[in-house]
Structures are given as structure tokens and as C-alpha cells.
Amino acid sequence: MKKYLIAAMLCMVMLVSMVPTALAATNYDECMAAIQEQKQIQAQAHQTANKLRAQGYSDSSSYIQAAKATWNAAQAEIVAYQKLSKYTYEDIRILATTVYYEAGSTTEQLRQYVAQVALNRVADSRFPNTVKGVITQPGQYNTKYAAMETAQAIKNKDAANGTYNWETCKNSVKQAMMGKVDMPSNVLYQANFSQGKGLWKSVYFNSGYFASTSYFCYG
């Protein structure tokens, strides 16, 4: 009886020790789960194509071409999630907060561009090599963007107003982190005036309440 009691207690200790790990899901964990889903889609597409071949369809048929397109689309998503998995929840939070204050009420294009400029800086040796380092670098963005309470204030405002600004900005950030924003890697400046080594693109925005032009420049 004593042996059974000791064994039961050991099992309980093991379960308790495992719970925090299971609950402490990370962005990496989410990305790996998403990758597995895409791999399942690929497996199904591959299986469908083989069944069609067995039925006499050639690889040039529209049916098999559709299966191949599905497989390729899933592969593109796998690559994108692999890129996203390199970032932490903190990285996403800080950059989403930055995007909210820099371009939150503009357009998806502008939000993505703001996020991409920051990521370009992270990858450039002339700037800090972390999202937090880039955003809190003196004289660049605003250090309050890195504070958890700043992000929470945005969420609280959304909850009170029935808006989705936080999720919108977070999605824009993820698109950039997944490599889905078309911007040269040496575009390192974003402001309401031209700077750096020349203009890459200017984007005009008019909400009806305010108008602005954002300049994205080479560094």
C-alpha cells in the first residue's frame, strides 16, 4: 500500500511540474502547430494528386494542377511561419504597439510598411539587433512603445469602444515578420518628411478628418 501511495504522489508531482510548461505556449509553439497544419494540407493534396493519377489523369490536368497549387501554397505558408517563429510574443507586442501609434488609424499598407522598416533596422548592423532595441533606441521611436502597460491601454480602449485596433496592428506586424511585405531591406526610415539616402516611396493618406504623407526612405 505504501508503494502505491508513493507512486501516486510521484505521478502527481510530475503532472504538476508539467502543467506550467504546457500552459506556457510561445509564439514558436503556435508557429510549429500552424506548420503541422500546413503539412497536413500538403499530405492531403499529395494524396489527392496520386488518386487522380491512378484514375488516369495526367499531371497537366486542371485537377492535378489544383492539387499542386494547394501544396505550393501550403509550402509558402510553412516558410512564412518559420520566419515568424523566430520572434517572441514580446517582439510582436512591442512592434504592434509601435505600429498602433505610428499608423494605427491609417491603412493596412502603411501599418505593414511601418512594421517592415523596424524589422529592416533589426537586420541592419547599424541598428540594434532586437525589436526592443530598435524601438527603444534613443532619438528614434518612443520608449513607451516597449512598455506592457502601453499595449494594455490599447487593448482596454478596444474593449471599451468595441474596436479591434490591437488585433489589426498585430496582424500587420505578423505579415511583416512572415516576410509578406514587399519592401527593400535598405529602407530604414519612416517619417512625415524625406530623409536618409533618398525616397523609396511616399504614401498619402486622407481619413476625412486628417491627411498625411508618410515617406519611406533608404538608409
Side-chain angles (χ1 to χ4, degrees), residues 53-81:
R53 292 187 184 100
Q55 293 172 17
Y57 288 92
S58 69
D59 277 21
S60 61
S61 73
S62 60
Y63 298 111
I64 292 184
Q65 287 299 311
K68 286 184 175 180
T70 298
W71 193 98
N72 289 333
Q75 182 61 29
E77 286 300 293
I78 287 172
V79 172
Y81 277 111

Side-chain angles (χ1 to χ4, degrees), residues 92-93 95-108 111 150-173:
I92 295 171
R93 170 179 61 78
L95 196 48
T97 304
T98 302
V99 168
Y100 173 83
Y101 281 101
E102 297 287 321
S105 58
T106 59
T107 65
E108 177 66 9
R111 287 189 291 270
T150 307
Q152 189 58 50
I154 301 170
K155 297 176 186 179
N156 292 343
K157 189 174 180 180
D158 276 343
N161 298 336
T163 52
Y164 302 92
N165 292 314
W166 174 254
E167 288 301 321
T168 298
C169 291
K170 190 168 71 171
N171 289 337
S172 298
V173 165

Side-chain angles (χ1 to χ4, degrees), residues 87 113-125 127-128 134 181 183-189:
Y87 297 94
Y113 281 180
V114 169
Q116 189 61 55
V117 166
L119 294 179
N120 283 354
R121 289 189 174 197
V122 173
D124 191 286
S125 61
F127 294 90
V134 163
V181 179
M183 175 186 286
S185 60
N186 59 338
V187 175
L188 302 172
Y189 297 101

